[in-house]
Amino acid sequence: MQNKIKLPGLIDPHVHLREPGATQKEDFETGTKAAIAGGYTLVLDMPNNPIPTISPQALQEKIDLARGRIYADVGFHFGASSKSIQYFNEISGKVFGLKVYMNQTTGDLLMEDDQTLEAVFSTWPKNLPVLVHAEGDTLQKAIFLAKKFGNQLHVCHVSLRKEIELIKAAKRNGLQISSEVTCHHLFLTNEDAKRLGAYGLMKPPLSSKEDQDALWQAVVEGTIDMIASDHAPHTRAEKEGEKPPYGVPGLETTLPLLLTAVNDGRLTLERLIELTSTNPKRIFGILQQPETFVEVETIPYTLNPNNLFTKCGWTPFVGMKVTGRVKKVVLRGKMVYDGQNIFGPYGQILKG
Ligand code: NCD
Ligand code: ZN
């Protein structure tokens, strides 16, 4: 691999910027600085805040809070709940997708009731994706509903071989289905979970080596469409507390890890660009950011938490040797990162 490489600005379809309500973990400023330092010029924020993004007011509050404080471009996903269905048409022009939590995770948006799920899938506009947190067998239900109501389905953080089989079969049957995988599932397994304790705790949990091998194969051959960070920061105190929350940060480690895979011959640079830019752009209908790019350098170093921009200040990849560092980020013609310092804020709210 060449020493210096230019890439399009990366796009992350799945981040938790935590504002409002959990700014001890992250906020719009620190989260989008972490994005830029990681080579991401555009991120899509999830709705599972303490006051969830399930009403036009909550969405507007996020937009108002983000304005003038974001370093990368930010778009939002709306949250599904029995209370939010009534607003689907009203807010659909302001968001990139609807997030449906079909398993327990951080936040209070779990939906298990079949009747409500049917109402959600049937009411959501068909031109925008339904993103599902659906682990293992739950994914079967999501695929069934998307097929029944003609939805565009996006499967978040695929972590198991059996989920890949379900996605492949759904693709063969002509369903409009896309999916993402995270770097924690690609680079860590349940063996690492023992060592990491609460810092390796997330949903879906770290899986087996066999599952991880299947994820890599699916990433390489094209069954998986995107890499998402699922950047889900929590404070050290929360992670070390009685009941540690699920989730790990990822915005600043994803590109270094993927470049390491390219350097090791596990992934081509072309595929990296499809997974982190071309496909998210196409699937979420994201417009080109003009004069926007990232320069990376393939030098070896060890990941450490000291120079991270994320407010949480830790990474589950601490101590890992990687080859690939972000040297420069340019957003709409302006240098926003020089390898050390962030400049701005020059981020825009998308559809807001
Ligand atoms: C996420 C969070 O903390 O918001 N946690 C996680 O373990 N992935 C929620 C989610 O995406 O499931
Ligand atoms: Zn999730």
Side-chain angles (χ1 to χ4, degrees), residues 14-18 25 46-49 99 101 103-107 133 135 156-157 180 182 184-185 201-205 229-234 239 245-248:
H14 188 160
V15 304
H16 302 268
L17 296 177
R18 305 297 195 203
K25 304 174 198 274
M46 286 292 173
N48 63 331
N49 297 68
K99 181 67 180 283
Y101 290 92
N103 299 104
Q104 186 59 56
T105 184
T106 307
H133 179 132
E135 299 178 31
C156 292
H157 39 49
E180 60 179 48
T182 70
H184 42 271
H185 293 114
L201 194 67
M202 80 290 288
K203 289 290 184 108
S229 69
D230 187 8
H231 180 77
H234 297 285
K239 279 294 196 183
Y246 303 112
V248 296

Side-chain angles (χ1 to χ4, degrees), residues 73-181:
D73 290 356
V74 176
F76 298 104
H77 294 304
F78 200 57
S81 97
S82 57
K83 296 187 212 109
S84 74
I85 300 172
Q86 57 181 312
Y87 305 120
F88 283 0
N89 280 323
E90 184 182 340
I91 57 78
S92 64
K94 292 195 165 208
V95 297
F96 285 83
L98 177 75
K99 181 67 180 283
V100 188
Y101 290 92
M102 298 175 72
N103 299 104
Q104 186 59 56
T105 184
T106 307
D108 296 320
L109 287 176
L110 177 63
M111 293 191 73
E112 287 180 307
D113 169 58
D114 283 354
Q115 237 179 327
T116 322
L117 280 168
E118 294 230 344
V120 162
F121 277 71
S122 61
T123 311
W124 184 249
K126 302 297 174 277
N127 61 334
L128 284 177
V130 172
L131 298 90
V132 286
H133 179 132
E135 299 178 31
D137 293 334
T138 311
L139 181 54
Q140 257 164 335
K141 195 195 267 188
I143 291 173
F144 168 82
L145 289 166
K147 196 167 166 199
K148 179 166 177 185
F149 296 107
N151 301 97
Q152 199 181 315
L153 188 70
H154 178 75
V155 185
C156 292
H157 39 49
V158 174
S159 70
L160 302 172
R161 182 187 293 273
K162 72 171 164 192
E163 294 166 356
I164 294 166
E165 296 311 323
L166 289 172
I167 292 167
K168 273 191 186 164
K171 278 194 176 175
R172 275 198 301 274
N173 291 333
L175 188 74
Q176 271 200 75
I177 185 169
S178 58
S179 60
E180 60 179 48
V181 67

